[in-house]
Amino acid sequence: MTYRATTDDFQFLFDHVIGYDQLPETELFADATADVAIAVLTEAGKMCEDILAPLNRNGDLTPAALENGVVRTSPGFSDGYKAIAEGGWIGMAADPEYGGMGLPLTLQTAVNDMMSASCLSLQLCPLMTQGQIETLEHHASDALKDLYLPKLISGEWAGTMNLTEPQAGSDVGALSTKAEDNGDGTFSITGQKIFISWGDNDITENVCHLVLARLPDGAPGTKGISLFMVPKLIPDADGNPGEPNSLRVVSLEHKMGLHGSPTAVMSFEGAKGWLVGEPHKGMAAMFTMMNNARMGVGVQGYGVGERAYQEALAYAMERKQGRTPLGEAGTGTIIDFADVRRMLTQMRTELFAARSMAMSLALAIDMARATGDDDWKARAALLTPIVKAYGTEVGMLVSHLGVQVHGGMGFIEETGAAQHSRDVRVTAIYEGTNGIQAMDLVGRKMMDGGEAAFRLLDEIESQAEAARANFPNMSEAVWSAAEDLRETIEWMVEQSDMQDRFAGAVPFLMGFARVLGSHYHLRAAIAEGGKGPRSELARFYINRLLPEHTAQFVQARTGAAGLYTLSPEDLAS
Amino acid sequence: MTYRATTDDFQFLFDHVIGYDQLPETELFADATADVAIAVLTEAGKMCEDILAPLNRNGDLTPAALENGVVRTSPGFSDGYKAIAEGGWIGMAADPEYGGMGLPLTLQTAVNDMMSASCLSLQLCPLMTQGQIETLEHHASDALKDLYLPKLISGEWAGTMNLTEPQAGSDVGALSTKAEDNGDGTFSITGQKIFISWGDNDITENVCHLVLARLPDGAPGTKGISLFMVPKLIPDADGNPGEPNSLRVVSLEHKMGLHGSPTAVMSFEGAKGWLVGEPHKGMAAMFTMMNNARMGVGVQGYGVGERAYQEALAYAMERKQGRTPLGEAGTGTIIDFADVRRMLTQMRTELFAARSMAMSLALAIDMARATGDDDWKARAALLTPIVKAYGTEVGMLVSHLGVQVHGGMGFIEETGAAQHSRDVRVTAIYEGTNGIQAMDLVGRKMMDGGEAAFRLLDEIESQAEAARANFPNMSEAVWSAAEDLRETIEWMVEQSDMQDRFAGAVPFLMGFARVLGSHYHLRAAIAEGGKGPRSELARFYINRLLPEHTAQFVQARTGAAGLYTLSPEDLAS
């Protein structure tokens, strides 16, 4: 059970797929040349291979536990966390003014990919902090920034995100946690929050909770929600952790996977908090954190998939089989079997597609920030739900196939294959279920009448056109799938009844991802001149997997017809 | 977490889908009228609801454990087992001469479905015994039958199946367990076996191991393997359990799920055994057991899916949401959301398709036995790998969606949704991975040039033709998908290089199942006259899911091209 950092893959993506060279051409990222980028990733990769990857099993076998009100983290996690913090990997994209490295999010995304592959449970802690850093950068007062950002960026303090309550999950607006003005610039926060990832730890010297709560004059629903910083230990005059705040971990959840990440029920009992941003504008601020986190979760998904793939491939190459179809010409191991190769090749191609999309999204966010260009912003907004949902679906599929390649041994916990499948499962659920991502895609992200999507389709089709002479079959397949997607988007934006859009939103998103994945694969084949392993992978994805888009778009365009004809009672009988 | 027996579904299948009325027209099953059948299933259903279903969580929370060499089963499993045994459910299809009920396998399959849904870990024990009973009925000497069958049928003794060794999994022929003739009609068995389900227990008074081993003159590979009965306690002159045999449980596996089922590493150390069938013909005898078990495992798969579906539906109907798209007209719970309905409806339709296929297979086996007709035999052989693979894929998909419908709560073990997903995972692996099922389908099961499959397609097309006037859209979709399947089968049987068949075998099998599932759904709609919930479910399956067959058959017909161009090293880089 080892992990090999995927630096080569990033290099290829930078050189040939995502257009990385645009970044150092901007003033903001002038220093982040491709050479610097690869040097940074090489260093992060070493940490992942040597320090984080060996911790992954510890988290599963010795889950985080609540002992006398204090969270005890899994063996070795403290050292792993310190390596992440001391490497500067938490604040690598943060503002240098507060101690960050000011590197592009594109690089942070690549590092998060490798950290997720190495030890997802642990990586979730800095991921939460990164989201908090970005939220504070955008919305907090200077006083709060000065106090919190340096500690969060250095990793001395960790950040969490407190949205969910027992009666308010996807329906955040139903929350009942209260905030009362103390009249001294602070607020008193009271309520219970659930599913708080890394709600506490015994590693950092403080834990900073961003909490959604309602002020007495807050309207019902999402419009009356405000955001507060509620630290575990209240900073003293010097900014050092002082008195304990009135909050506590009530319990930790017993989960299917991700055992090393303490998922807390938190109780705030008149805890002291500071307003972040304007009153009643908490949801807007929280969306900053959530968009970052949504991309981050997509990356977590295929990151785990990468690990599952590497281990399955290694197993397939070492598991001997008496007689294989290749006979003397083969390896004598199960990788000689066509069905095993089919599974491994699919795993590899799905990972490439998901990684290309996520890195393209990160680049779009960086370019939007560096240039202020609205097209880049719209591109980023469009890709976010796709990366979150497809990235996590790929993570689940690849981990699932990883178990299958291991055969009976895959079901035995000792091999670690099952852990990936259990760990990654939550990524399709948290930060907005994949169904919610799909609704976002066909709803909010199509409010421009499909304009951002059509711009992307123009790029896809023009690349396919240009490649037609050298790659007639692949180009035609991608071009014609893009046309199908265009027609499906046109159908979507014509539906005024949102139920008709939502009913097929998930198949639509997955079909969209198939087209986009094929586009990146074709680009890889072009870069190789059609000869080489990446071209063969492109042929696999485009010839064997892209055809799935047809059925996905049929589903997408069927609308809600019939879905509501069946009553809940009909479904039960 | 409750379970409602699906007796109504069986009634509908008997009356309208699988042609149950053919059974009581045969001499062998003259007494098993539809009324008797439903009475039997109603009684079994009660046991499943009241006694077995509440045990399921116990198995997960308190796994079977090895204590001082003795397996301790999960709390309540002993009572559950006794209810199964005393109800006569283990030997319900067994020969009345030895105490069985002589009922059709069709009914046993329905009972196994409900028992799997109630408590999969426990149900696996009688399933193994049922396979052993059938093997002994077909292959054992009268002396062995007289001694073992009554005890196995009554459930006083349990049966196991010992094939796998560390170096011999799917590659059974590589086994190295030895058998030596003691010259007194007994043999001495030595070797280690792994993954032995219910390898021991503290419930039954004896455990009977069917063990594959090689005699000194046995050829290498599968042709030199013999089958032996090796009891844990050697029966004395009166047939009562006597001296302990030289065998032991070395350890139990720590698995992803199915914790209530003890999966043993068994050591046979010169254990006394009796030959079952002819020397060196062990694999043939074992195939009797495996074919039965393959159908049984397919049933386990969708059985667990049924439970996951019922619980997800109940959750969706009770989980409140502040604002739903249906407003006042809705339930105010998450079932009002189109995407939740899409998931639940897909779950329901997949379960119906899988259950229809499995029950049709069981009926074909019964009819083959009752009539000796070769067409029925060929039908049964054809359907076996499809039922095993599709039934278990449905189980995994439905359990997966069950977690998704639960949202964050699905990842928390307390709801039980995650357990179904973990438990069912092994069904795609044991008794031959689904990849092996698919290879069986395109290989052995197409050695007739596709004849058995074409006969089934003729039935599918003639039903579609007949329904064309009343159901033009659905009929056309099913008919044309059947034609696609026909062409794909023709392509398959033309490939002389088996690698080309095997490379797309899994997508082929899944596409075959889509066509077949649509056929049964159409039949349900016809039975309802097109009006009613089953017709709406048919429309969902045929309009939204059947289109997937196109991409599946494209994959199937792509052959091995390109799969071997990539070396294992290419895949690793």
Side-chain angles (χ1 to χ4, degrees), chain B residues 186-208:
Chain B
T186 70
F187 294 80
S188 188
I189 312 293
T190 304
Q192 197 180 72
K193 295 286 180 177
I194 62 170
F195 297 160
I196 308 310
S197 296
W198 283 89
D200 193 19
N201 72 68
D202 58 1
I203 304 173
T204 61
E205 60 175 31
N206 205 357
V207 181
C208 307

Side-chain angles (χ1 to χ4, degrees), chain A residues 465-487:
Chain A
E465 285 290 356
R468 204 176 279 271
N470 291 327
F471 306 94
N473 295 339
M474 282 199 283
S475 296
E476 172 55 29
V478 173
W479 188 87
S480 114
E483 277 299 289
D484 285 353
L485 174 53
R486 191 183 293 274
E487 283 165 25

